[in-house]
Amino acid sequence: MKTEFENLQQNDAHSYEVDTNTDKQVLKIYCGEVLIAKKIKQKKSIRYFGVQAYKDYLN
């Protein structure tokens, strides 16, 4: 999902925001007002999450 997540982030139709805490970073990708994907990076762990139909947003 890493490559798909990067494609969602680089799409001009989507916006994103980054929340950083001491050792935790959360990157959220939005299409309009809808949250479509999220990446959580904590220490050396990276987890990716997407809505069920996130592939519809790849184009």
Side-chain angles (χ1 to χ4, degrees), residues 12-55:
D12 291 335
H14 303 147
S15 61
Y16 65 93
E17 66 179 37
V18 180
D19 295 326
T20 304
N21 208 342
T22 307
D23 62 345
K24 184 177 182 180
Q25 180 184 47
V26 179
L27 189 145
K28 298 176 184 176
I29 300 176
Y30 295 92
C31 182
E33 297 293 321
V34 179
L35 176 65
I36 57 174
K38 179 168 58 172
K39 175 175 90 171
I40 299 176
K41 184 176 180 181
Q42 189 168 13
K43 296 183 182 179
K44 294 184 180 182
S45 172
I46 299 175
R47 296 182 291 166
Y48 297 94
F49 302 92
V51 295
Q52 269 188 335
Y54 77 91
K55 291 186 179 188

